[in-house]
Amino acid sequence: MVDKNIRIKDIAKLAGVSVGTVDRVLHNRGRVSPEALKKVTEVMEQIDYKPNLIARTLGSNKNYRIAALLPDPKQDPYWAQSNLGITQAQTEWAQYGIQVELFLFDLLDKNSFQKMAHEVYLAKPDGILIAPIFYHEALPIFELFRETDIPYVLFNTNIPEASPLSFIGQNLYQSGRVGAELLYFGQHQPGTLAVLHIDEDIHDSVHLLEKEKGFREYFKDKGKINFSIIDFILNPKDPSFQKQLEELLEDPALRGIFVSTSKGTSVTASLLEKHGKKDIRLVGYDILDENLRYLKSGIIDFLINQNPKRQASLGISHLVNHLMFKKGTPGTDLFPLEVITQQNVDSYLGSGIH
């Protein structure tokens, strides 16, 4: 069957149901028996019936509103990438009646997160995409969302107690273990390895705690090693920030640094470059512009790519498939742990998959 010629009656014939039943399934109106719904959705999956094909051929009588709750992209290039992914998804789905509204909160302000989350609740959208970076503040928000039966998708940070429609991101515990392996590999001299959290409230940041847990347990599982592991929590707004970081870099026993955030990676790399410390191995996150520059110059040794743009874009698509097409979504959609080096970065960027 040629895609462009698919009509309601074609789907009805393949499913063994009436044209009216297919129409009700596609447009979510009227009553449809579970058996009929199953037949229609199975046919749509078998013929790989695309959302844009449905919209173009059959149209839709309902507009869906999706709220996206995330940190202000002006504060951090990582979240700017997430915002790009949402903008891209919004453009792709706009012609099918999907509207996406941004609700931006201050990356460093828990009260701002709570305030914007309540605005989302009051807006009563049809679906919500959320980056719940503040663990304790997010829990009561999820209770509110559940009361209204609004489906929500988490990205970047997984909070299992939230019972979301789907989580999109990475296994952050395993990510920390990969970071540890990258720091440890080929190290022959005893010394110190540092875990560095910059610009974050680590005690309320589940995603960073999971990375550090994985990092530390990698070495615990190794047994006896000739390294001491230290962790630093630094705030760039603190007047002593640069002094604290410079004191860390002056430690002659320091062999490597694992930075848990993408913005923190570039901040650390800039000081390593400033002090000529290319011999200290640096492992961080994400192929953002500044990080790419330091990777290519050899200051950063490895980047673990989290693909924030694709995470956010896929989150919108999961909600659309759930709302408009009644398609199931994976409870967990984990991205691979992609390790980017000076040697493979150009081929990776040229592949267009980032």
Side-chain angles (χ1 to χ4, degrees):
M1 181 178 292
V2 180
D3 281 353
K4 67 181 182 180
N5 293 327
I6 294 178
R7 297 160 297 179
I8 288 181
K9 69 178 185 179
D10 297 319
I11 299 174
K13 183 177 180 180
L14 289 169
V17 299
S18 70
V19 169
T21 296
V22 176
D23 181 77
R24 288 193 294 276
V25 170
L26 292 173
H27 298 114
N28 189 29
R29 58 190 178 204
R31 297 183 60 183
V32 178
S33 71
E35 183 181 358
L37 177 62
K38 181 180 179 182
K39 288 180 178 179
V40 173
T41 53
E42 283 181 352
V43 166
M44 290 170 63
E45 289 175 3
Q46 288 169 6
I47 63 177
D48 196 22
Y49 208 50
K50 304 293 186 192
N52 64 327
L53 176 64
I54 295 175
R56 185 175 66 245
T57 307
L58 305 174
S60 174
N61 289 340
K62 178 174 173 56
N63 292 332
Y64 289 95
R65 295 166 49 247
I66 294 174
L69 178 63
L70 71 156
D72 189 334
K74 296 187 184 73
Q75 292 182 276
D76 191 314
Y78 177 88
W79 296 109
Q81 286 294 307
S82 299
N83 186 51
L84 279 177
I86 291 169
T87 301
Q88 181 184 65
Q90 182 178 21
T91 301
E92 292 174 352
W93 293 107
Q95 60 184 310
Y96 311 131
I98 301 296
Q99 301 169 3
V100 181
E101 183 177 357
L102 293 177
F103 291 80
L104 306 177
F105 61 87
D106 188 324
L107 177 62
L108 305 177
D109 188 345
K110 299 174 183 179
N111 291 329
S112 173
F113 169 78
Q114 290 177 313
K115 178 183 175 183
M116 296 311 297
H118 276 94
E119 288 194 19
V120 169
Y121 170 73
L122 294 174
K124 293 182 169 41
D126 297 295
I128 304 167
L129 176 69
I130 177 172
I133 63 172
F134 296 118
Y135 174 77
H136 294 100
E137 288 70 25
L139 293 179
I141 298 302
F142 293 132
E143 290 184 18
L144 281 178
F145 293 162
R146 282 196 291 269
E147 284 177 8
T148 58
D149 289 328
I150 300 173
Y152 51 90
V153 168
L154 311 187
F155 76 105
N156 181 75
T157 303
N158 191 16
I159 299 180
E161 306 98 299
S163 302
L165 179 70
S166 182
F167 163 68
I168 302 169
Q170 291 182 328
N171 183 324
L172 299 180
Y173 170 82
Q174 203 63 41
S175 175
R177 291 185 68 95
V178 169
E181 184 175 32
L182 293 172
L183 272 195
Y184 184 67
F185 181 76
Q187 296 274 17
H188 302 296
Q189 298 296 322
T192 301
L193 300 178
V195 180
L196 194 54
H197 305 293
I198 293 181
D199 216 16
E200 297 281 353
D201 178 0
I202 184 65
H203 303 295
D204 204 26
S205 302
V206 175
H207 55 302
L208 303 188
L209 288 170
E210 279 295 295
K211 289 177 182 178
E212 181 169 346
K213 180 182 178 184
F215 185 92
R216 289 183 174 277
E217 290 193 1
Y218 172 86
F219 288 106
K220 182 180 178 181
D221 292 345
K222 277 283 183 186
K224 186 177 180 181
I225 58 171
N226 294 321
F227 290 95
S228 60
I229 299 172
I230 58 175
D231 65 83
F232 281 78
I233 304 169
L234 302 178
N235 184 347
K237 293 182 179 180
D238 187 325
S240 64
F241 165 74
Q242 187 157 326
K243 182 181 179 181
Q244 292 179 69
L245 193 49
E246 287 177 344
E247 287 177 355
L248 170 65
L249 300 184
E250 288 169 3
D251 179 358
L254 184 64
R255 299 286 177 260
I257 304 173
F258 172 61
V259 187
S260 61
T261 60
S262 52
K263 186 175 181 180
T265 300
S266 61
V267 171
T268 306
S270 68
L271 281 178
L272 285 173
E273 183 180 58
K274 177 182 176 181
H275 293 279
K277 299 283 188 176
K278 290 186 71 171
D279 57 322
I280 297 175
R281 185 173 298 177
L282 178 58
V283 177
Y285 283 89
D286 298 310
I287 50 175
L288 307 178
D289 290 343
E290 280 292 286
N291 290 346
L292 283 173
R293 182 171 75 80
Y294 290 120
L295 180 71
K296 291 181 177 181
S297 68
I299 301 296
I300 295 175
D301 295 277
F302 301 102
L303 288 171
I304 301 172
N305 187 34
Q306 300 176 106
N307 214 328
K309 180 180 176 182
R310 183 164 171 261
Q311 282 189 35
S313 177
L314 190 59
I316 297 294
S317 294
H318 279 353
L319 283 167
V320 172
N321 279 320
H322 174 76
L323 293 167
M324 183 175 284
F325 308 115
K326 313 306 171 191
K327 293 181 68 174
T329 59
T332 302
D333 201 339
L334 293 180
F335 285 16
L337 296 169
E338 300 168 333
V339 177
I340 310 300
T341 73
Q342 191 180 48
Q343 306 308 315
N344 71 358
V345 63
D346 288 335
S347 62
Y348 181 80
L349 292 173
S351 69
I353 61 176
H354 58 284

